[in-house]
């Protein structure tokens, strides 16, 4: 089928069906300027205009094979849809027709899954896999992926690279793809990400790196968020995120999905979907502020404590579709949406619901349909960024998987969301056409957590380029432009911000004694104080004990201040911003219009030499 024939057919269908239902008018997807960044909970383009991710998943390059039988047989692929190791549908419709379909339904961005195996796969795709796109014959899966990225971005769509799987097979059970390092080493995973980020670094419409999909338990082990071992998803994502920004492409949004599953899915054993709940107590601080986006997935058949399994792995816990509308809202907010709804916290960031979906024409379940309507309502209510799963599927005689918004049959005939018989059309129209925030987004103060729990936590580009300023100690440094405003008495955590003013980038000094103390603001305590005209931007610890203070010269004056004691309880002022940056520990914090200029501690028996007070100056 020629591209012209496909275009005419699509145009005719659209005209004939317009009286039944039609997609709402949207601004052209190319009416934006990359790269993207964040301001508080909003994603913005290079001009500071809000850019809402109205996205869809174009799956296939991460694999559709179920893992048993011949991969050449369609029946051995998820829903019988064999992608041929490349984005699904290229055997049935020209690329231009598929992309035009995305624009037609209001999509402005694509989550484009890939597998690590795909990157290294040198086998050419089969001719059958690209039957509708003969120019792709003889290419490897990565080369086809290149063309897809090029054509999507040329059409004005933003592309988010998504490392979906290690191996090129269907996700997401106990399948060898549970963690970033299940079927490969962490080093391989990091190297592959650097390769992909560099490959598209000159294309400013490749806007994001979605680091890994649905991190979950394998047969024996759980992932975790902050334990410091090789299953620590927080540490692994923090490390690769900084490497991408420092070594590959500083323009990328870094997208971190919460943990999808921990525990044994059997009644009587602990199990849950933590999603983004751990972020409240331990959040990422990247070397570049304004680049972090969190993400989560929600489907009707899963639940806050339900894996989504039927049969083996099924428990009596409620699924999301079993919850009342008010219960669903409470759970969604607790598990994910709080991150974007609570401003001025160390964890405040955009939340991208990068997967949600439901069956279309043949889905008759009342609970499933109600869940989808209620979930769409919450996306609209919260003005959330989203990505539907999936965009593309197969059909024969208007029957098939049914989850996709656009289907093609073997002859290249398209069945679309707006063909008049898909019950999801009205909800999708509400979602795409919903009135949310638009236009310029003003800059906001950044609040950042420092967590040198298991090693250095240097969030400053500048200080990463310097020699080791306190060998043998664990060092924590605020992002460039931010200053230290809070410390915990135990636990080694810190809080940084640029609220009120930027910390500047003058000369730095490592302070290990009292040489700059002009007045005794903490009698009987050892005081590490910055020189006049400098602010605290970092600290180091040995074990739990204070080791040194890092001071940076800036445009600050005054030689007097006040001690803020926190050795016997929290002391963060009446309405502290930044959130609880050291959950379960006493902590102190300077006011928003102050800066920390010193740390006091005592070495007397039983003290541990942990921080007891901050010296705060206006």
């Amino acid at each position: 089928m020629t591209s012209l024939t496909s275009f005419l057919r699509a145009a005719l269908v659209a005209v004939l069906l317009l009286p039944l239902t039609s997609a709402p008018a949207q601004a052209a997807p190319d009416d934006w300027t990359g790269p993207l960044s964040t301001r508080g909970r909003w994603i913005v383009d290079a001009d500071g205009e809000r850019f809402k991710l109205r996205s869809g998943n174009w799956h296939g390059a991460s694999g559709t094979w179920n893992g048993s039988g011949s991969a050449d047989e369609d029946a051995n692929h998820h829903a019988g849809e064999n992608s041929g190791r490349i984005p699904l549908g290229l055997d049935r419709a020209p690329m231009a027709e598929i992309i035009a379909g995305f624009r037609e339904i209001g999509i402005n961005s694509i989550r484009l899954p890939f597998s690590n195996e795909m990157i290294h796969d040198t086998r050419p795709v089969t001719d059958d896999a690209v039957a509708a796109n003969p120019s792709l014959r003889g290419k490897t899966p990565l080369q086809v992926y290149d063309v897809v990225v090029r054509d999507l971005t040329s059409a004005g769509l933003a592309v988010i690279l998504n490392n979906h799987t290690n191996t090129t097979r269907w996700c997401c059970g106990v399948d060898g793809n549970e963690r970033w390092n299940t079927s490969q080493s962490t080093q391989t995973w990091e190297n592959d990400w650097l390769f992909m980020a560099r490959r598209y670094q000159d294309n400013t419409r490749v806007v994001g790196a979605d680091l890994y999909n649905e991190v979950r338990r394998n047969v024996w082990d759980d992932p975790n968020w902050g334990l410091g071992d090789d299953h620590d998803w927080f540490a692994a994502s923090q490390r690769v995120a900084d490497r991408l920004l420092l070594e590959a492409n500083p323009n990328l949004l870094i997208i971190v999905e919460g943990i999808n599953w921990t525990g044994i899915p059997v009644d009587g054993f602990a199990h849950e979907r933590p999603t983004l709940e751990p972020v409240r107590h331990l959040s990422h601080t990247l070397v570049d502020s304004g680049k972090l986006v969190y993400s989560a997935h929600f489907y009707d058949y899963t639940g806050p404590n339900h894996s989504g399994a039927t049969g083996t792995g099924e428990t009596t816990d409620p699924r999301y579709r079993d919850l009342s509308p008010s219960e669903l809202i409470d759970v969604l907010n607790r598990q994910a949406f709080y991150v974007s709804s609570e401003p001025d916290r160390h964890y405040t960031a955009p939340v991208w619901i990068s997967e949600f979906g439901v069956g279309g024409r043949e889905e008759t379940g009342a609970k499933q349909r109600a869940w989808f309507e209620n979930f769409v309502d919450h996306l609209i209510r919260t003005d959330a960024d989203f990505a539907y799963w999936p965009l593309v599927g197969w059909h024969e005689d208007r029957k098939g998987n049914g989850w996709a918004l656009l289907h093609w049959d073997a002859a290249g005939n398209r069945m679309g969301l707006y063909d008049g018989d898909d019950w999801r059309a009205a909800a999708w129209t509400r979602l795409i056409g919903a009135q949310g925030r638009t236009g310029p987004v003003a800059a906001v103060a950044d609040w950042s957590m420092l967590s040198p729990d298991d090693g250095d936590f240097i969030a400053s580009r500048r200080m990463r380029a310097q020699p080791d300023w306190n060998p043998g100690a664990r060092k924590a440094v605020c992002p460039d432009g931010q200053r230290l405003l809070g410390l915990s008495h135990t636990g080694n955590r810190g809080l940084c911000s640029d609220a009120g003013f930027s910390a500047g980038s003058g000369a730095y000094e490592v302070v290990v004694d009292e040489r700059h103390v002009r007045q005794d603001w903490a009698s009987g305590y050892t005081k590490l104080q910055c020189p006049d005209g400098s602010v605290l931007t970092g600290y180091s610890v040995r074990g739990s004990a204070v080791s040194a203070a890092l001071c940076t010269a800036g445009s600050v004056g005054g030689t007097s201040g006040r001690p803020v004691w926190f050795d016997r309880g929290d002391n963060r002022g009446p309405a502290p911003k930044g959130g609880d940056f050291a959950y379960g520990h006493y902590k102190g914090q300077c006011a928003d219009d102050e800066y920390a200029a010193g740390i006091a501690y005592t070495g007397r028996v039983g003290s541990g030499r942990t921080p007891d007070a901050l010296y705060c100056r206006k």
Side-chain angles (χ1 to χ4, degrees):
M1 183 175 294
T2 66
S3 298
L4 178 59
T5 301
S6 300
F7 174 80
L8 292 174
R9 185 190 69 245
L12 179 60
V13 169
V15 170
L16 290 175
L17 294 177
L18 190 59
L20 296 174
T21 181
S22 60
Q26 289 292 327
D30 53 357
D31 188 22
W32 62 284
T33 305
L36 302 182
S37 57
T38 70
R39 292 182 178 177
R41 63 134 297 175
W42 308 103
I43 296 172
V44 298
D45 70 6
D47 298 321
E49 302 273 337
R50 197 268 172 104
F51 186 89
K52 182 174 182 175
L53 292 176
R54 300 191 309 271
S55 319
N57 287 269
W58 190 4
H59 75 296
S62 57
T64 51
W65 180 54
N66 280 327
S68 62
S70 171
D72 297 329
E73 299 293 329
D74 292 352
N76 297 326
H77 290 254
H78 178 72
E81 297 176 339
N82 184 352
S83 70
R85 298 174 287 140
I86 56 178
L88 187 69
L90 296 176
D91 60 328
R92 300 185 168 213
M95 185 120 50
E97 180 180 337
I98 295 174
I99 293 173
F102 298 161
R103 297 191 60 161
E104 180 183 320
I105 61 174
I107 293 295
N108 67 5
S109 43
I110 300 295
R111 183 177 184 245
L112 194 62
F114 68 87
S115 72
N116 298 90
E117 184 181 0
M118 183 209 79
I119 296 172
H120 305 283
D121 190 347
T122 59
R123 297 170 297 155
V125 300
T126 65
D127 289 354
D128 287 346
V130 292
N133 293 271
S135 64
L136 300 178
R137 288 177 181 169
K139 294 185 180 296
T140 66
L142 179 58
Q143 290 169 336
V144 173
Y145 194 92
D146 289 339
V147 176
V148 171
V149 169
R150 181 198 68 195
D151 287 5
L152 286 169
T153 55
S154 294
L157 294 158
V159 169
I160 295 96
L161 310 175
N162 164 231
N163 186 194
H164 208 72
T165 52
N166 298 176
T167 64
T168 307
R169 62 168 290 186
W170 184 253
C171 171
C172 286
V174 182
D175 54 10
N177 295 306
E178 298 88 351
R179 295 190 312 274
W180 63 99
N181 57 358
T182 302
S183 302
Q184 62 190 6
S185 69
T186 297
Q187 187 62 52
T188 295
W189 176 66
E190 291 185 3
N191 289 342
D192 283 351
W193 254 124
L194 291 171
F195 170 83
M196 291 295 279
R198 289 167 181 154
R199 191 172 186 86
Y200 306 111
Q201 64 183 334
D202 295 329
N203 188 338
T204 58
R205 286 183 172 168
V206 176
V207 298
D210 185 349
L211 298 181
Y212 202 72
N213 182 74
E214 297 192 4
V215 173
R216 58 198 182 276
R217 181 187 177 91
N218 61 12
V219 174
W220 302 110
D221 300 300
D222 281 328
N224 67 79
W225 192 275
L227 294 185
D229 59 18
D230 66 354
H231 294 177
D232 185 346
W233 174 228
F234 169 80
S237 53
Q238 173 73 45
R239 174 180 162 83
V240 79
D242 283 340
R243 290 197 69 191
L244 289 175
L245 294 172
L246 289 166
E247 302 175 38
N249 186 351
N251 292 323
L252 290 174
L253 292 176
I254 302 297
I255 298 158
V256 181
E257 187 179 332
I259 293 178
N260 193 64
W261 185 258
T262 62
I264 301 173
V266 176
D267 286 338
F269 289 82
H271 52 264
E272 64 173 334
R273 295 186 70 241
T275 52
L276 294 175
E277 290 186 71
V279 175
R280 184 179 291 279
H281 298 146
L282 179 59
S283 64
H284 295 72
T285 295
L286 306 184
V287 291
D288 293 324
S289 299
K291 287 298 180 183
L292 175 65
V293 175
Y294 283 114
S295 73
H297 295 174
F298 292 99
Y299 291 103
D300 73 275
Y301 57 85
T302 58
N305 297 94
H306 201 301
S307 70
T310 300
T312 302
E314 185 173 10
T315 63
T316 58
D317 303 288
R319 303 173 191 257
Y320 291 114
R321 69 185 178 219
D322 298 324
L323 304 177
S324 70
S326 60
E327 290 171 334
L328 179 63
I329 290 171
D330 289 344
V331 168
L332 294 176
N333 289 342
R334 185 189 80 231
Q335 291 198 298
F337 288 83
Y338 78 90
V339 173
S340 57
S341 66
E342 298 178 12
D344 292 318
R345 303 291 194 269
H346 60 83
Y347 51 78
T348 303
V351 171
W352 185 39
I353 306 303
S354 54
E355 285 188 29
F356 76 104
V358 72
R361 290 166 174 80
E362 297 182 14
E363 179 56 75
T364 58
K367 284 188 174 182
Q368 289 87 332
R369 288 193 177 203
W371 171 85
F372 188 71
E373 299 281 357
N374 291 333
F375 190 76
V376 164
D377 286 344
H378 199 57
L379 292 176
I380 294 171
R381 183 182 301 115
T382 57
D383 198 5
D385 300 85
F386 60 85
Y388 185 88
W389 181 283
L391 286 175
V392 176
W394 289 4
H395 82 94
E396 295 300 330
D397 296 325
R398 305 185 71 78
K399 296 184 182 300
N401 183 13
W403 277 61
L405 299 181
L406 302 169
H407 296 80
W408 280 266
D409 68 13
N413 299 306
R414 196 189 81 170
M415 177 177 69
L417 175 69
Y418 289 105
D419 284 357
D421 59 349
D422 193 322
W423 66 270
R424 299 169 299 177
W428 182 258
T429 299
R430 291 204 320 277
L431 179 59
I432 289 293
Q435 295 299 310
R437 176 163 185 169
T438 60
V441 177
V444 297
D446 289 315
W447 297 85
S448 305
M449 172 189 280
L450 298 180
S451 53
D453 302 9
D454 304 294
D456 286 351
F457 199 95
I458 300 175
S460 162
R461 279 180 171 265
R462 177 190 184 214
M463 294 309 299
R464 280 179 175 242
Q466 303 301 317
D468 189 338
W469 49 271
N470 198 339
R474 302 195 315 279
K475 294 163 283 293
V477 185
C478 297
D480 294 333
Q482 296 187 36
R483 66 195 186 279
L484 193 70
L485 275 182
L487 275 180
S488 62
H489 176 55
T490 54
N492 301 134
R493 298 284 174 81
L495 179 70
C496 305
S497 184
D498 58 0
F501 69 93
S502 174
S505 57
Y508 73 90
E509 179 179 345
V510 179
V511 177
V512 296
D513 54 33
E514 295 190 340
R515 69 183 62 190
H516 298 300
V517 176
R518 301 287 180 263
Q519 61 186 39
D520 191 354
W521 51 271
S523 180
Y525 285 72
T526 301
K527 294 168 283 293
L528 303 182
Q529 184 172 327
C530 293
D532 293 343
S534 293
V535 304
L536 266 172
T537 55
Y539 56 96
S540 62
V541 294
R542 297 179 188 272
S544 59
V546 176
S547 174
L550 180 69
C551 302
T552 302
S555 300
V556 291
T559 57
S560 62
R562 66 182 180 102
V564 172
W565 293 92
F566 48 93
D567 57 334
R568 293 179 176 85
D570 278 3
N571 188 359
R572 298 192 291 148
K577 296 179 182 177
D580 189 340
F581 60 91
Y583 181 73
H585 299 267
Y586 296 152
K587 60 197 77 71
Q589 186 170 329
C590 299
D592 295 356
D593 61 350
E594 294 178 324
Y595 62 93
I599 305 170
Y601 64 90
T602 178
R604 58 177 171 255
V605 176
S607 69
R609 295 169 57 92
T610 61
D612 293 311
L614 282 171
Y615 188 46
C616 299
R617 285 176 166 173
K618 288 285 185 182

